[in-house]
Amino acid sequence: MSYTYEYPRPALTVDCVIFGLDESSKLKILLIQRALEPFKGAWALPGGFVDMEEDLEEAALRELREETGVKDVFIEQLFTFGKPGRDPRGRVVSVAYYALVNLSEHPVQAASDADHVEWFELDELPRLAFDHDQIVQVAVNRLRSKVRYQPIGFELLPENFTLSQLQKLYETVLGVKQLNKRNFRTRILKMGVLNEVGKQEGVAHRPAVLYRFDKAKYEQLVQERYENLIRRGVDFEV
Amino acid sequence: MSYTYEYPRPALTVDCVIFGLDESSKLKILLIQRALEPFKGAWALPGGFVDMEEDLEEAALRELREETGVKDVFIEQLFTFGKPGRDPRGRVVSVAYYALVNLSEHPVQAASDADHVEWFELDELPRLAFDHDQIVQVAVNRLRSKVRYQPIGFELLPENFTLSQLQKLYETVLGVKQLNKRNFRTRILKMGVLNEVGKQEGVAHRPAVLYRFDKAKYEQLVQERYENLIRRGVDFEV
DNA sequence: TCAAAAGTGTTATCATTACACCCATGG
DNA sequence: CCATGGGTGTAATGATAACACTTTTGA
């Protein structure tokens, strides 16, 4: 079977940058080892060609599932990479997606066109196929900006979590040694998006208060903040 | 001439959302009236098919130039729209770009596959072809967020400008009546990215101080702010 | 009673907001 | 001398940053 068009068309692919976090609090990325040429044997982002009847996001989730076994993640569009020459097979344009997941809730399993699947620590990545190094770099920057204005991380922790866990998570994602405990707590609690739901038990130190994220309050906060922004205007924060 | 592939491929297009501002301080968008089917006669974003040897951004700039005569703009990638069914001609995936330009420095001129080219006020847009309404909506949101952390606007004003001009610009882009003059000024000046370069002349009121944007200082500021962010960590701003 | 981690008090400094007021110019 | 924008003073309030301190638990 073959398909003929009046004008040439680039091939369209999707790629996924999946960040993973676990108890060890290392930030990792999910890679596959390519089973086929080009770049056979090299590590690459999970991804592949978009089918004709599927949405881009669907395609990304399908490839992710097929190649790594990972499913049920909330991905977001990152950027579309289309420089001629980025793929030796010819003109290939790739829409990249990214997500941050709780690593331990997403067991991996190699399949079909991938030899192996593995989580790599962010600062120990191998050389990647295609321009995937660049895609990862863009994703890391995006994640670190996102952390500023979105409550990332609540999905990554157990339903009930301690402020220390949350703080560690932020330290990991931001790639920083140690945030000030006092100030982190004040700030987070002042937002009023956490509900106290109990206390730790059976730990050999003062038990921490457990919190749960209050999504409704968060949505409300977002709304208010936006109105504030509009009211007071500019604020070159960067 | 025709082109044959083993698997079907979506067509790939680019679309441009060009925001324009002029002295009247209305926020406008550049549209073309389609000369061809589908949606012949309807208003649409400038855009078209990507050539095989050109980068996506190049394609967007080329289409913009060909269809509207507008050139020398800094466009940024916005989002890639690829829902099946968004184009009646079949599967078409479109990479959207956006830019904010000084309208009076970008004279328009219809050409080739566009009947007419026109600037439309943002709140008086006609019904648009394809899913271009949605693309515009996404672009407006992006522009309004961007205003917060990037010195948009300096390129839109004359090289030397007054703080009142700058303030008006922000009011326009944010779509707000009136920012507090005192606070706007304090804030902007405190950043230290403006250099005083003279005074207005020949106006029937106290002459305003003219400023010029200092790009070097801005770059430096961005750098410092990023380091701050990293140091102190989270800040759910939204 | 000790180690370990949780959690609090406090203070100096800076940023934000809100309002009222003064200034320089051409007509 | 007045209308028109340009531009400033100030004070209350709230946010941030830094540092040292107290509390509660199991072993």
Side-chain angles (χ1 to χ4, degrees):
Chain A
M1 187 77 182
S2 72
Y3 299 84
T4 301
Y5 306 104
E6 194 175 347
Y7 296 99
R9 298 184 173 189
L12 187 69
T13 62
V14 286
D15 286 303
C16 299
V17 184
I18 307 299
F19 293 100
L21 268 168
D22 61 6
E23 300 72 38
S24 77
S25 287
K26 293 256 157 96
L27 190 55
K28 298 185 179 185
I29 286 183
L30 187 59
L31 297 178
I32 62 161
Q33 192 167 29
R34 290 181 58 83
L36 304 171
E37 292 296 351
F39 294 103
K40 184 172 170 177
W43 292 93
L45 295 171
F49 293 94
V50 176
D51 288 345
M52 285 306 267
E53 349 57 38
E54 70 186 349
D55 197 1
L56 300 171
E57 187 172 318
E58 262 180 64
L61 290 172
R62 176 181 52 73
E63 289 287 351
L64 182 62
R65 185 167 20 81
E66 287 176 7
E67 295 190 339
T68 71
V70 170
K71 53 192 176 181
D72 299 328
V73 304
F74 287 103
I75 57 175
E76 266 181 63
Q77 201 183 100
L78 173 65
F79 195 80
T80 298
F81 297 83
K83 213 195 295 292
R86 57 177 294 279
D87 190 313
R89 289 168 293 190
R91 185 73 192 279
V92 179
V93 171
S94 183
V95 184
Y97 284 79
Y98 78 113
L100 179 55
V101 306
N102 186 328
L103 194 146
S104 60
E105 289 172 4
H106 294 276
V108 303
Q109 171 190 8
S112 63
D113 44 343
D115 261 346
H116 295 99
V117 181
E118 220 170 284
W119 290 100
F120 282 83
E121 276 185 37
L122 191 51
D123 37 18
E124 294 175 10
L125 293 187
R127 254 301 201 33
L128 302 186
F130 307 104
D131 57 352
H132 289 188
D133 295 299
Q134 196 201 334
I135 298 179
V136 168
Q137 194 50 56
V138 173
V140 170
N141 291 342
R142 184 84 133 250
L143 179 65
R144 291 201 169 142
S145 319
K146 189 184 167 67
V147 105
R148 297 192 62 214
Y149 57 90
Q150 290 266 319
I152 67 129
F154 294 101
E155 308 91 1
L156 305 181
L157 294 170
E159 190 169 351
N160 302 330
F161 52 86
T162 70
L163 290 181
S164 297
Q165 285 177 292
L166 187 61
Q167 179 172 346
K168 204 161 187 183
L169 190 154
Y170 273 91
E171 288 164 354
T172 300
V173 172
L174 289 169
V176 71
K177 292 126 298 207
Q178 180 93 56
L179 301 173
N180 181 297
K181 184 171 53 163
R182 183 62 171 111
N183 300 338
F184 180 84
R185 279 156 190 257
T186 308
R187 228 158 155 154
I188 292 282
L189 291 179
K190 184 170 32 87
M191 295 175 58
V193 297
L194 297 187
N195 295 326
E196 228 170 288
V197 292
K199 264 183 198 292
Q200 267 183 334
E201 278 174 28
V203 286
H205 55 73
R206 177 170 177 177
V209 170
L210 295 170
Y211 292 90
R212 187 174 298 177
F213 180 50
D214 186 329
K215 209 164 171 63
K217 281 196 199 150
Y218 171 69
E219 309 282 2
Q220 191 191 329
L221 185 73
V222 169
Q223 185 54 32
E224 284 164 14
R225 292 272 178 105
Y226 181 69
E227 283 159 10
N228 266 354
L229 160 62
I230 289 304
R231 188 163 45 70
R232 50 170 206 176
V234 63
D235 181 356
F236 291 142
E237 280 185 9
V238 177
Chain B
M1 187 79 182
S2 70
Y3 299 84
T4 300
Y5 306 104
E6 194 175 347
Y7 296 99
R9 297 184 173 189
L12 187 69
T13 63
V14 285
D15 286 303
C16 299
V17 184
I18 308 298
F19 293 101
L21 267 169
D22 60 6
E23 300 72 36
S24 77
S25 286
K26 293 258 157 93
L27 191 56
K28 300 187 178 183
I29 287 184
L30 187 59
L31 297 178
I32 61 161
Q33 192 168 29
R34 291 181 58 83
L36 303 171
E37 293 294 350
F39 294 101
K40 183 170 172 178
W43 292 93
L45 295 171
F49 293 94
V50 176
D51 288 345
M52 286 305 267
E53 350 57 39
E54 71 187 347
D55 198 359
L56 300 172
E57 186 172 317
E58 263 180 63
L61 290 172
R62 176 181 52 72
E63 289 287 351
L64 181 62
R65 185 168 20 81
E66 287 176 5
E67 295 190 338
T68 71
V70 171
K71 52 193 177 180
D72 299 329
V73 303
F74 287 103
I75 56 175
E76 265 180 65
Q77 203 184 99
L78 173 65
F79 196 81
T80 297
F81 297 82
K83 213 195 294 295
R86 57 176 293 280
D87 190 313
R89 289 168 292 190
R91 185 72 192 278
V92 179
V93 170
S94 182
V95 184
Y97 284 80
Y98 77 113
L100 179 54
V101 306
N102 186 327
L103 193 147
S104 61
E105 289 172 4
H106 293 276
V108 303
Q109 172 189 8
S112 63
D113 44 344
D115 261 345
H116 295 100
V117 181
E118 221 170 284
W119 289 101
F120 282 81
E121 277 185 36
L122 191 50
D123 36 17
E124 294 174 11
L125 294 187
R127 252 309 200 31
L128 302 185
F130 307 105
D131 57 352
H132 289 188
D133 296 299
Q134 194 201 333
I135 297 179
V136 167
Q137 194 50 56
V138 173
V140 170
N141 291 342
R142 184 81 134 252
L143 179 65
R144 293 204 168 140
S145 321
K146 189 184 167 71
V147 105
R148 297 192 61 214
Y149 57 87
Q150 291 265 318
I152 66 130
F154 294 101
E155 309 90 0
L156 304 182
L157 294 170
E159 189 169 354
N160 302 330
F161 52 86
T162 69
L163 291 182
S164 298
Q165 285 177 291
L166 187 60
Q167 180 172 345
K168 203 161 187 185
L169 191 153
Y170 274 90
E171 288 164 355
T172 300
V173 172
L174 289 170
V176 72
K177 293 124 298 203
Q178 180 92 54
L179 301 172
N180 181 297
K181 183 171 55 163
R182 183 64 171 109
N183 300 338
F184 181 84
R185 278 154 191 259
T186 308
R187 229 157 155 155
I188 292 284
L189 292 177
K190 184 170 33 89
M191 296 174 58
V193 296
L194 296 187
N195 295 326
E196 227 169 288
V197 292
K199 265 185 199 294
Q200 266 183 335
E201 278 174 27
V203 285
H205 54 73
R206 177 171 175 178
V209 171
L210 295 170
Y211 292 90
R212 186 173 298 177
F213 181 51
D214 186 329
K215 208 164 170 65
K217 282 196 198 150
Y218 170 70
E219 310 281 2
Q220 193 190 331
L221 185 74
V222 170
Q223 184 56 32
E224 283 165 13
R225 293 270 177 107
Y226 181 70
E227 283 159 10
N228 267 355
L229 160 63
I230 290 303
R231 189 163 45 68
R232 51 169 206 175
V234 64
D235 182 356
F236 291 141
E237 278 183 13
V238 178

